[in-house]
Amino acid sequence: SQHNIHTSLFPSELPSISIIDKKYKRKCVEDGNLMISKKPPFRMGVVHSYENEVILANNDLFFFEIDNDKINPIYVLAFLESELGLEQLNRFLNNSKKKELTLQDLMSVKIFNIPREKQDKIAYSFEDIMGDDELLYIYMESLKNNKKVLL
């Protein structure tokens, strides 16, 4: 559902499958994969899964394995969600008849190549902000539910 990705947050309790047909193996998302929706508003995040958990991506999502030894996946996420990153994504969208990103579009995104130490600092700050975002989201959902039961 559209609610499964919310401003870089994947719910901690995604539905999972214990046995998977071989034809779906290539759609399996692994821990640390970056996911991004093909259509706006862009929803993206880094997957955090447990050891025996199998998560399938639907056709509305791209997912990428990022070599964590070379680049911090959270830094890539932070960049894509920045003004510069979103500007590039939207530029590709404006040139598309279908108004959705292609794999070639995503492979053409220019991400600043900065030293790993700086990537890690940005990633740490971004995760800190995302924790605040998650708390705000939970609070907003609580407010919505409280409004519903007023009368």
Side-chain angles (χ1 to χ4, degrees):
S1 77
Q2 287 288 31
H3 200 66
N4 281 350
I5 306 173
H6 172 74
T7 58
S8 302
L9 301 173
F10 290 92
S12 56
E13 305 251 344
L14 284 172
S16 62
I17 301 170
S18 55
I19 300 173
I20 186 163
D21 193 308
K22 288 180 185 177
K23 67 181 176 182
Y24 296 114
K25 284 278 188 197
R26 64 182 191 87
K27 291 186 172 255
C28 290
V29 181
E30 296 179 10
D31 188 57
N33 284 169
L34 176 69
M35 296 183 74
I36 182 169
S37 60
K38 293 179 180 180
K39 298 178 183 179
F42 296 115
R43 291 173 170 82
M44 51 190 103
V46 174
V47 175
H48 298 289
S49 62
Y50 299 102
E51 191 173 315
N52 294 320
E53 198 172 38
V54 177
I55 300 172
L56 293 177
N58 67 24
N59 289 333
D60 294 333
L61 296 171
F62 287 114
F63 64 96
F64 301 91
E65 183 176 343
I66 295 176
D67 186 345
N68 198 22
D69 294 332
K70 294 181 180 179
I71 190 164
N72 188 317
I74 304 295
Y75 165 71
V76 174
L77 176 62
F79 182 86
L80 290 173
E81 288 201 4
S82 73
E83 282 186 41
L84 291 170
L86 290 172
E87 184 180 293
Q88 289 184 66
L89 295 176
N90 285 315
R91 191 173 333 116
F92 291 126
L93 208 59
N94 290 336
N95 295 332
S96 168
K97 290 180 183 175
K98 291 176 73 175
K99 297 296 179 203
E100 72 178 31
L101 293 174
T102 66
L103 185 56
Q104 185 174 356
D105 294 338
L106 287 175
M107 300 305 284
S108 299
V109 171
K110 306 286 188 231
I111 298 175
F112 294 134
N113 186 11
I114 60 175
R116 179 59 190 245
E117 187 176 299
K118 286 187 178 183
Q119 291 179 32
D120 292 343
K121 283 182 182 178
I122 291 170
Y124 180 78
S125 296
F126 186 78
E127 285 182 310
D128 198 34
I129 292 167
M130 291 312 302
D132 292 343
D133 192 35
E134 184 173 16
L135 290 174
L136 287 171
Y137 176 74
I138 292 167
Y139 180 68
M140 292 297 291
E141 288 299 305
S142 173
L143 288 176
K144 286 180 191 175
N145 289 333
N146 288 343
K147 285 180 184 179
K148 288 178 185 176
V149 297
L150 273 176
L151 298 175

